Amino acid sequence: MSSSSSTASVSEIRDKLWLAIAERRLKPGTRLKEEELAEIFSSSRARVRQALTLLERDRLVTLIPNRGGFVAEPTIEEARDVFFARRLVEGGLLERLCETATETDLEDLHDHIAQEREAAAEGDLASIVRLSGGFHILIAELAGSAYLHDVLRDLVSRTSLISTMYGPRHQHDCGPDEHAEVVACIARRDAAGALRAMQHHLSHVEDTLDLSGGQLPTRDLRQLLG
């Protein structure tokens, strides 16, 4: 993301912006200036514009005529819809994974939770946020659905926006214990238990939202993406 001689592709720009949103480095309402982003990514404004259009399709960016792009600011109603969608999508993925999970899959899940615990012990906020969302994306990956993987990836990123806007400032993300409970059910092939554990987990995250919360201050793009 620094000023290198290489030219970033549209997908690279999209993915780096997506990650910055998912890790809560880009706050809701942050203005995304094409010219500045083109310089940061050593790319053209046309490519930046294409990347922003892809992110708008995923409802992570809002493009306003004559003003440019902004990181989306989900409403309370949208926040509820996102959690509703996640319950449906992740429930189906868990049912499939409980049937198909291999020993290697379980090792991957346990390794991921170990990384979550390590990040929590070290107080590494960026890793905590990344790994917390990454657990859910890993379930989609292991369940073998490329389409639902992409759907959930965007839902997880939008959840980060929602948590940034409406979540308590002292809480960075859910801990790994609830994730471990889900994995224990997968290991037992207990689809009903895994679903209950995931529903409880998502409800716990949603219940922490402060519905009177507002937008947090934004920061300089170079500081966020450099």
Side-chain angles (χ1 to χ4, degrees):
M1 288 190 222
S2 59
S3 57
S4 64
S5 57
S6 60
T7 301
S9 66
V10 172
S11 61
E12 287 173 336
I13 296 170
R14 176 196 183 275
D15 288 346
K16 288 176 181 178
L17 289 172
W18 180 92
L19 185 62
I21 291 171
E23 292 183 352
R24 305 183 195 175
R25 289 181 283 122
L26 279 176
K27 307 296 186 183
T30 300
R31 187 176 182 185
L32 303 170
K33 300 178 182 178
E34 288 183 8
E35 183 176 359
E36 188 173 7
L37 290 171
E39 185 176 346
I40 290 170
F41 291 115
S42 300
S43 191
S44 67
R45 291 184 64 175
R47 289 187 179 182
V48 168
R49 194 174 303 116
Q50 291 178 59
L52 293 178
T53 299
L54 292 176
L55 290 167
E56 182 188 37
R57 184 195 64 187
D58 297 332
R59 299 180 62 81
L60 298 179
V61 164
T62 300
L63 297 180
I64 302 176
N66 301 320
R67 291 191 62 198
F70 296 81
V71 177
E73 300 180 86
T75 65
I76 290 172
E77 290 74 17
E78 288 173 326
R80 291 172 177 153
D81 285 345
V82 166
F83 280 96
F84 178 76
R86 286 193 61 174
R87 289 185 180 94
L88 293 177
V89 172
E90 297 194 54
L93 290 169
L94 279 174
E95 287 184 2
R96 179 184 298 184
L97 189 55
C98 283
E99 295 178 357
T100 63
T102 65
E103 289 301 320
T104 300
D105 292 338
L106 292 171
E107 288 176 7
D108 289 345
L109 288 166
H110 285 301
D111 287 346
H112 189 96
I113 290 173
Q115 293 178 51
E116 288 188 65
R117 295 192 190 283
E118 181 178 355
E122 295 177 353
D124 183 348
L125 177 56
S127 293
I128 289 171
V129 173
R130 174 177 56 82
L131 290 166
S132 180
F135 172 80
H136 298 266
I137 297 172
L138 178 59
I139 285 178
E141 179 182 331
L142 297 177
S145 173
Y147 174 74
L148 291 180
H149 174 275
D150 290 344
V151 170
L152 187 58
R153 181 178 184 268
D154 293 328
L155 286 172
V156 166
S157 184
R158 195 151 182 85
T159 300
S160 289
L161 281 176
I162 291 165
S163 295
T164 297
M165 288 188 67
Y166 301 113
R169 294 188 179 185
H170 66 276
Q171 178 174 328
H172 304 309
D173 259 297
C174 52
D177 290 345
E178 293 180 3
H179 290 169
E181 184 178 353
V182 172
V183 174
C185 292
I186 295 172
R188 296 194 301 267
R189 309 291 180 183
D190 179 5
L195 182 58
R196 283 194 301 272
M198 182 61 79
Q199 298 284 9
H200 171 77
H201 171 56
L202 292 175
S203 293
H204 177 208
V205 175
E206 186 176 9
D207 287 345
T208 66
L209 299 181
D210 179 3
L211 299 185
S212 64
Q215 173 185 337
L216 297 180
T218 60
R219 289 156 56 192
D220 180 74
L221 282 179
R222 294 185 181 278
Q223 183 179 5
L224 291 163
L225 298 170

